[in-house]
Amino acid sequence: YTYTMPDANVHIYGIFTKTEDQTELKTDKVKKALIQLAENEITSGNSRLTIKDAVLTQQQQDAFEKAAGDYQIAGYFDIKLAQILYKNSAANLWVNDIAALKNPAKVSLQLGTDLEVEGNDLIVIHENSDGTYEVIPASFDSATKTVMFQTQGFSNYAVAYKKSETTTEDSTKETTTESTTEDPSKTTTKGYDRSYDRSYDRSNKRCCNSFA
């Protein structure tokens, strides 16, 4: 903007209104996002953080999964940061995209209810501008479902969680049933001995035959 000063006294005044930093969510997988910049990182204007679903090639997805290792990827995000300067209204502004910061910024993402994660062990994977992939440690608040991490670059990201190992132990209970089969020949009737009875009958018969 150029203003040519006339050959006269000119009084210039302006009204300045404080404006807040902006956050644009263009995905249902994130309910809320915040960024905390280091002091004097952006000295004029405001910051605008934009979160949307990342559009990846199969090669990029394979690279993310390889970097994740034994972690399960829950979602891919395209995270962008820009410096915005208002001209005369909220709709009329300058936008300067920021690919990298001088100092790490703290980013927090409150994940949507439809985004499935297990446990509290989460990591964030960042696709660097040179095509490499770095694993960034992250903390996770399971109560609010918010993942927090620090970064200096803004491009494609993946959020991954450690899959819980469920061990199912099968316990087999062996029941031993003992069945006892009695020998009919050893069956006795209380108060009566059949073996004695047979012996008595034989001896009595011999007795009777001898006196006949």
Side-chain angles (χ1 to χ4, degrees), residues 56-105:
L56 305 174
T57 65
Q58 187 60 51
Q59 184 179 0
Q60 287 175 305
Q61 290 188 29
D62 293 342
F64 268 114
E65 292 176 0
K66 182 179 180 181
D70 56 353
Y71 283 75
Q72 179 72 32
I73 294 179
Y76 299 95
F77 302 103
D78 182 5
I79 302 179
K80 292 290 194 299
L81 182 67
Q83 176 194 27
I84 55 176
L85 298 165
Y86 294 94
K87 296 181 181 178
N88 53 15
S89 67
N92 190 11
L93 45 79
W94 287 290
V95 178
N96 299 321
D97 292 328
I98 300 175
L101 296 170
K102 299 176 182 178
N103 303 290

Side-chain angles (χ1 to χ4, degrees), residues 3-12:
Y3 177 77
T4 303
M5 296 292 293
D7 296 332
N9 295 330
V10 176
H11 298 278
I12 300 176

Side-chain angles (χ1 to χ4, degrees), residues 180-198:
T180 305
T181 304
E182 297 183 354
D183 187 352
S185 63
K186 296 181 180 180
T187 304
T188 61
T189 303
K190 186 176 181 180
Y192 189 77
D193 191 343
R194 293 184 182 276
S195 61
Y196 174 78
D197 182 56
R198 288 193 296 271

Side-chain angles (χ1 to χ4, degrees), residues 19-48:
T19 56
E20 301 295 333
D21 294 333
Q22 293 184 4
T23 301
E24 290 185 345
L25 298 179
K26 299 181 178 180
T27 173
D28 295 333
K29 297 177 182 178
V30 177
K31 294 175 60 177
K32 185 178 180 181
L34 295 173
I35 186 169
Q36 183 179 349
L37 300 173
E39 188 177 358
N40 296 326
E41 188 70 54
I42 296 179
T43 56
S44 60
N46 295 91
S47 66
R48 183 172 68 188

Side-chain angles (χ1 to χ4, degrees), residues 115-127:
L115 199 66
E116 180 184 358
V117 294
E118 296 178 5
N120 296 324
D121 188 1
L122 273 73
I123 59 172
V124 172
I125 305 163
H126 178 215
E127 181 185 20

Side-chain angles (χ1 to χ4, degrees), residues 49-208:
L49 181 67
T50 304
I51 313 290
K52 61 182 180 180
D53 293 324
V55 179
L56 305 174
T57 65
Q58 187 60 51
Q59 184 179 0
Q60 287 175 305
Q61 290 188 29
D62 293 342
F64 268 114
E65 292 176 0
K66 182 179 180 181
D70 56 353
Y71 283 75
Q72 179 72 32
I73 294 179
Y76 299 95
F77 302 103
D78 182 5
I79 302 179
K80 292 290 194 299
L81 182 67
Q83 176 194 27
I84 55 176
L85 298 165
Y86 294 94
K87 296 181 181 178
N88 53 15
S89 67
N92 190 11
L93 45 79
W94 287 290
V95 178
N96 299 321
D97 292 328
I98 300 175
L101 296 170
K102 299 176 182 178
N103 303 290
K106 296 179 181 179
V107 178
S108 63
L109 304 176
Q110 185 178 7
L111 305 180
T113 54
D114 295 337
L115 199 66
E116 180 184 358
V117 294
E118 296 178 5
N120 296 324
D121 188 1
L122 273 73
I123 59 172
V124 172
I125 305 163
H126 178 215
E127 181 185 20
N128 294 313
S129 58
D130 60 359
T132 60
Y133 294 80
E134 64 171 328
V135 176
I136 301 175
S139 58
F140 184 66
D141 184 352
S142 58
T144 59
K145 208 174 180 181
T146 301
V147 57
M148 294 156 283
F149 61 96
Q150 294 190 33
T151 186
Q152 290 180 252
F154 299 90
S155 56
N156 293 324
Y157 282 83
V159 175
Y161 62 91
K162 186 80 169 182
K163 207 167 185 181
S164 59
E165 297 179 359
T166 304
T167 304
T168 305
E169 296 181 356
D170 295 331
S171 57
T172 304
K173 296 181 180 179
E174 297 181 357
T175 305
T176 304
T177 305
E178 295 183 359
S179 58
T180 305
T181 304
E182 297 183 354
D183 187 352
S185 63
K186 296 181 180 180
T187 304
T188 61
T189 303
K190 186 176 181 180
Y192 189 77
D193 191 343
R194 293 184 182 276
S195 61
Y196 174 78
D197 182 56
R198 288 193 296 271
S199 175
Y200 175 79
D201 289 344
R202 286 194 298 271
S203 61
N204 187 44
K205 186 177 180 179
R206 286 195 299 271
C207 174
C208 296

